[in-house]
Amino acid sequence: MIKKYVFGTPLETGAVTADVAPEKNTPEEVGIVDKTDCVAFVKELEDDDRIYGLGENIRGINKRGWIYESYATDDGIHSETLKSIYGVHNFIIIDCKKPFGIFVDAPFKVTFDLGYTYMDKAIITPQGRDFNLYIINGNSLSDIVRNFRKAIGKSYLAPFWSFGYIQSRWGYKSADECRQVVKEFRDNGVPIDGLCLDLDYMDSCKVFTTNEKDFPNFEGFVKEMSDSNVHLVPIIDAAVKAEKGYCISDEGVENNYFCKDENDNDYVGCVWPGHTYFPDYLNPDAGKWFASKYKYYTDMGIDGFWNDMNEPAIFFSKKSLDALKNDICENKERDFGANDYFALRHRVNFLWDYKEIYHNVNGKKIRHDKVHNMYGYMMTKSASQGLEEIAPDRRFLLFSRSSYIGMHRYAGIWTGDNQAWWSHLLLSLKQLPSLNMCGFLYIGSDIGGFNSNTTEDLSLRWHALSVFVPLMRNHNGSDRPQEWFRFIHKDWFRDLIKSRYRLLPFIYSEYLKAVHNDDMMFRPLRFVYENDSLAAEIEDQLMIGDSVMIAPVYTQNAKGRFVYLPEEMLMVKMYGDEIETEEYEKGRHYIEVPYNCVLFFIKKGALIPLYDCAMSTKELNKNKISVLCFSDEGSAEYEMYSDDGITKSSKVKKLEILVENKFAYCNSNDIEVTVLADYLNTLF
């Protein structure tokens, strides 16, 4: 079902773990255009053909009609004009008469012109000639995804606690401020499991240090939070401050662990700490060295990390800035015209060049732009392997900003510095299935938007969507703080976050199923209802697993929304501890959705397991489950997955939950199951 085509002499990225023998012929599914410096692939498109995939990217679930460049880019605006952002995921499915998938395994830039230059053509152009091309076939769109996912290896398994609510901000400037945030949660009866620490917890933004002035006795602070069931999650930036006497800097220089310039000197750029070095994560020795430093935090009890600025993000390079200053001095007496002004502004905006950086790859000197897309991937892969050496059987929370296919085996991702825009709320929904196709299952966006000032209604609607998303993290860096307790309707936010904890047995189960079955947790309606032409056009509703459909509100001032039901379903409105249900026929319906409401729909014959809410995942009573079900024959069932949520080796339990004539059954005697009969008024 998978064919491999080798072009030139590719650098092995490790994205594909399956042993696939190369084909001797050329791919029949696409035409080949052999150019002087590259090879292009062309597929003619019919009017109704669709294109899915590309993981974390802008625009719709159907990617047809735009041009994308796979080149990891630190750009926090994420407007529709962008061609690339943080992640690089070169897998697409062309949904034509005979659908098939394409994966271009190339660590350099790849352009996907998907009906942009020519509306009736998809043109894929790798920047170089050395890469692997995979064609993936299957009996359905979902089957193509599963075949691809099996080829690239099992997805990262996150700890259970990381499915609780996580609060974050750039930045919490002291331990006392962090304590006050947690106190607001506890005093108002709102659950929380994690608190992220941005740059302020470090000493002058130096990785693997702590700010003793504002975060004194950091190890004691970690224990204090842990005792209250809150996990601290520190940020780890990719670059290292260039400073003599700073042990990380000194060790990297002494052992040649940093990237070089063309003259084999340590490359110097500028990021948050000022002048910085960049660990050469493509050098296994350097990656192992950097990863060993995570022990500084794990020894204190830290069990969660987020890797950032690893595209890599560079503000300027010393070489480029020095050249600019020299040019300005030499031309300070010359009158500048409009063209000079725009040329200068462009230079100021791009005071670095990836072509200035070099790596040691298997003893060979390789320029960074040739392997650019692997940098963040290799940083996080190294971190994962380092954490495994520290605690071989323990699951750590680990998520990254930049990524490449293959990194999905080691960590999750968040979608980076989004905006407090309604359009980005919708974008965060559309990115979910695209990321799942590429193996990324532990995913999430910054709730409310990272940049710009959010509004209370936007934050409420974003929380309602994020109730179902594995990484439920409220994070921002704007002038207006956006923790839920900053707003008027605290009780509305409480209802939404409590709904998350009630739904955790369903959410975690669907996540585990997707991990162990190489499947998608979030699915476009087209993937489930392949013969429904209307469902194929809908991109603002998603299926979760086999049994639930979500349809979030993403429009400002909207009191509700229209929803298309491909079949008869049970509508559920959850308000924390309160639940309303109503049966709807197949078709189009307008549903009112209050701000404190989590809206979803259950297919006939299915049931949804629920916990009673608790203030953290540790306090949940997992032996007590209540169920919502929908059946006109008096029976419904659900296969629930669970494990210990901590170790990698724990066996997954498959609990068969069955409801017959209002009575609930489970194949585990330890589980007490009750039917929420009050909410099933018309079903039996």
Side-chain angles (χ1 to χ4, degrees), residues 380-395:
T380 302
K381 177 183 177 181
S382 298
S384 174
Q385 292 175 335
L387 291 170
E388 188 168 15
E389 286 195 14
I390 292 167
D393 196 36
R394 183 171 186 173
R395 295 189 220 168

Side-chain angles (χ1 to χ4, degrees), residues 9 15 18 113 119 136 140 160 176 281 289 295 344 359 391 401 408 453 481 517 600 603 625 650:
T9 308
D113 184 340
M119 288 183 66
I136 305 95
S140 65
F160 180 67
D176 284 342
Y281 299 110
W289 161 76
K295 194 173 187 296
L344 178 62
H359 295 272
R401 191 169 76 175
H408 71 285
N453 290 325
N517 299 329
F600 58 99
K603 291 172 62 173
I625 294 174
S650 64

Side-chain angles (χ1 to χ4, degrees), residues 310-321:
N310 52 359
E311 291 71 36
I314 305 175
F315 299 157
F316 63 82
S317 72
K318 188 176 184 302
K319 176 181 177 181
S320 296
L321 183 61

